[in-house]
Amino acid sequence: MLVGGRRRGVEAGLALAASFATLIVALLLAGAADQAGGQGLVLTYRLGDWPTNVAIVLVADRLSALMVLLAAILGLLNTASSLSRWARLGPYYTALSQFLMMGLNGAFLTGDLFNLFVFFEILLAASYGLLLHGSGDRRVAPGLHYIVINLAASLLFLVGVSLIFGVTGTLNMAALAEMVGQVPPPTRSLLHVGASILAVAFLVKAAAWPLGFWLPRAYDAAVPPASAMFAIMTKVGIYALLRLSLLVFGGEAGESAGLGREWLFFAGVATLAVGVVGMLAARDMRRIAGYSLLVSVGTLLGAISFGDTALLAGALFYMFVSTLGAAAFYQLSGLIGPEGGDAFEDPPTLEAYDPEDDGLLTEDDERAVAIPAPIGILSAGFLICTLIIAGIPPLPGFMAKFAMLGPLLQEPEGPMSGAAALLAALLVGSSLLALIAMARAGIQIWWADPGRIPPTIRLGEAAPLGALLFGLLVLTFAIEGPYTFIQRAAMQALAPSQYSSAVVEGEAGP
């Protein structure tokens, strides 16, 4: 912000350095949390060393480190691909991106519900600016809908947090985990009401049905790098639900154990079905990408409701891969251009801006490196994204779905056996229908117009996307190490006593 838009080279250098540094720290954090073998470490940091019930505490275990790493990858992709063109459609794009990263990292690392709300508001405030970046009528209505819906969800967040604090006297999640089982019956129902309201707020932010109607249109309105970054924002709500359901309302919560898990399953199944229907109904790439995010949200909600270690590991791996696949698809839509569904009806021109204004286009911007993209390059990227999003062999999207199908099909006879069979059938069916939707879009883009002129793309946009797709291809052959880490993250999340003891005692030990 202090550098301003006139010093473009300095601004770009700062943004890239910050994004690379965040990725390096995220890798180091994941390595530190994975120490001590299978048991792992829970790293804690209490600002000011205040007592646990009022402390602002940051906590890193394998699950939160995994989420921070995913956010860092997308943050670097967003920054690198936006510098050549998209960041110059308006002021302070890179600064807003860094604020968004701060909110994401804080939301994944906080151990306190109120500070979770604070970091939610930081990332949402930044996302409002990023969604409206570039101005234009097509962004105003979706932007206002997005802002109003998230403000309403934030109000529900505060109401739920207030009820929980009124019953327990603390908002520290580790302290809540030790206290929930001892809440007296007269006030337990009030605690459940507060937790349910809080869950509704998280479901709104995760875009679960029937609260996720805003997502495809809102993400379609943003510039492609911002849309790619937004792919992780639904996962913040999923992470919060997962953390609370396993830590606070886990097996040691007494009469509150497993609160609302059946509702999570039904919401997940409905969201998955609506997402698949939306993909079939969509007529452009970015709407398809938005509905694919709903499919991933529904899949994750359905999977985490079982509380099974193997199923949770597969779901976490699916979350990682599907989020990166959707982000790559959003980026690809920006390269293909209006014919592919990225319909910027009134693209900015040099005449539309004053070159003296900070953060806006100048003639130097037009001299950025641009290359004519052969159809083969873009179509290969489209094919990779299709295989990942639909979960088709042999790419990691298929491996993630296969890792979930195994535990679902082996579910023993019991009250959840029918639910497991239903979710397994939806996983297989969603892959087939998503493949149909993506194939139809590909036919419209590549084959419907034989005389289509290949778009001209900038090297700065294509290189980050190529690196991401190459990384996903490499993951196909180097899956053992990352998946082992995710399996350990699932085991650690389902054994929350280590998390609670590390926070309450203030120790960073196993």
Side-chain angles (χ1 to χ4, degrees):
M1 290 176 66
L2 296 178
V3 169
R6 289 191 177 92
R7 299 181 178 88
R8 297 298 176 80
V10 178
E11 182 186 20
L14 284 174
L16 288 174
S19 300
F20 271 114
T22 303
L23 179 59
I24 292 172
V25 171
L27 290 169
L28 294 175
L29 188 64
D34 198 40
Q35 291 179 7
Q39 193 172 17
L41 293 177
V42 177
L43 311 172
T44 62
Y45 181 70
R46 292 194 288 179
L47 280 72
D49 201 27
W50 287 85
T52 300
N53 61 329
V54 296
I56 298 176
V57 59
L58 302 179
V59 188
D61 61 355
R62 290 189 180 104
L63 177 58
S64 55
L66 175 68
M67 301 304 297
V68 170
L69 178 59
L70 178 58
I73 294 172
L74 291 179
L76 180 58
L77 172 71
N78 169 41
T79 300
S81 60
S82 66
L83 291 175
S84 64
R85 176 167 43 139
W86 303 108
R88 302 174 185 184
L89 300 184
Y92 303 121
Y93 182 91
T94 53
L96 288 170
S97 297
Q98 295 301 318
F99 275 115
L100 179 62
M101 282 299 303
M102 184 178 80
L104 289 170
N105 291 336
F108 294 139
L109 292 174
T110 184
D112 179 87
L113 284 178
F114 184 77
N115 291 293
L116 178 62
F117 169 79
V118 172
F119 285 116
F120 257 117
E121 294 308 300
I122 291 173
L123 69 91
L124 286 173
S127 70
Y128 300 154
L130 292 174
L131 180 60
L132 296 172
H133 178 77
S135 69
D137 294 341
R138 70 185 303 273
R139 294 184 179 86
V140 174
L144 289 177
H145 293 165
Y146 175 78
I147 292 171
V148 169
I149 290 168
N150 278 284
L151 288 177
S154 297
L155 177 61
L156 291 176
F157 198 139
L158 281 178
V159 173
V161 162
S162 301
L163 289 172
I164 293 174
F165 183 78
V167 172
T168 63
T170 183
L171 293 175
N172 184 286
M173 288 188 281
L176 283 172
E178 296 191 344
M179 191 180 301
V180 165
Q182 305 170 7
V183 173
T187 56
R188 185 177 294 276
S189 59
L190 192 59
L191 173 66
H192 289 180
V193 170
S196 300
I197 294 175
L198 196 61
V200 171
F202 291 145
L203 289 172
V204 172
K205 296 178 185 296
W209 185 87
L211 310 170
F213 56 89
W214 53 269
L215 185 147
R217 188 165 179 238
Y219 285 16
D220 179 40
V223 297
S227 298
M229 190 66 197
F230 290 171
I232 195 176
M233 289 179 57
T234 56
K235 307 310 185 292
V236 182
I238 298 292
Y239 169 82
L241 287 168
L242 178 61
R243 181 65 78 188
L244 284 180
S245 65
L246 296 182
L247 178 62
V248 180
F249 298 104
E252 300 179 0
E255 296 180 11
S256 300
L259 177 67
R261 286 191 179 180
E262 296 84 1
W263 290 101
L264 286 182
F265 175 79
F266 291 125
V269 168
T271 306
L272 176 56
V274 169
V276 170
V277 172
M279 290 184 71
L280 289 172
R283 288 295 182 268
D284 59 67
M285 286 180 62
R286 301 187 67 190
R287 290 294 178 94
I288 292 175
Y291 282 109
S292 75
L293 288 175
L294 296 186
V295 172
S296 68
V297 167
T299 302
L300 292 170
L301 287 175
I304 66 177
S305 63
F306 286 86
D308 178 78
T309 302
L311 182 56
L312 179 59
L316 292 177
F317 186 57
Y318 172 78
M319 176 185 63
F320 192 88
V321 173
S322 64
T323 303
L324 293 179
F329 200 56
Y330 273 121
Q331 290 278 26
L332 186 66
S333 71
L335 299 182
I336 291 175
E339 294 84 353
D342 189 22
F344 288 88
E345 298 166 357
D346 297 310
T349 61
L350 285 176
E351 291 76 15
Y353 300 104
D354 180 2
E356 297 299 321
D357 288 344
D358 288 350
L360 302 180
L361 288 173
T362 67
E363 293 181 0
D364 291 338
D365 301 333
E366 295 299 299
R367 292 195 288 268
V369 177
I371 56 174
I375 292 295
I377 296 177
L378 294 177
S379 58
F382 184 91
L383 176 61
I384 295 172
C385 291
T386 297
L387 296 179
I388 291 174
I389 291 176
I392 304 300
L395 296 188
F398 165 75
M399 298 180 182
K401 285 199 171 185
F402 188 80
M404 289 187 287
L405 283 173
L408 288 173
L409 295 176
Q410 295 172 7
E411 181 73 20
E413 291 294 330
M416 294 298 289
S417 59
L422 175 60
L423 184 58
L426 286 174
L427 285 179
V428 176
S430 65
S431 291
L432 175 61
L433 296 177
L435 179 62
I436 293 173
M438 300 284 283
R440 184 183 60 189
I443 291 172
Q444 292 174 348
I445 295 169
W446 310 117
W447 292 347
D449 184 9
R452 185 176 185 273
I453 300 175
T456 298
I457 61 176
R458 295 165 188 262
L459 186 60
E461 293 178 89
L465 175 60
L468 175 59
L469 294 176
F470 179 74
L472 289 171
L473 290 176
V474 171
L475 185 61
T476 305
F477 305 98
I479 193 175
E480 182 178 359
Y483 192 68
T484 299
F485 175 86
I486 289 175
Q487 285 179 314
R488 292 176 176 176
M491 289 188 292
Q492 192 177 41
L494 288 167
S497 58
Q498 181 191 9
Y499 183 104
S500 300
S501 62
V503 175
V504 172
E505 299 171 9
E507 297 176 355

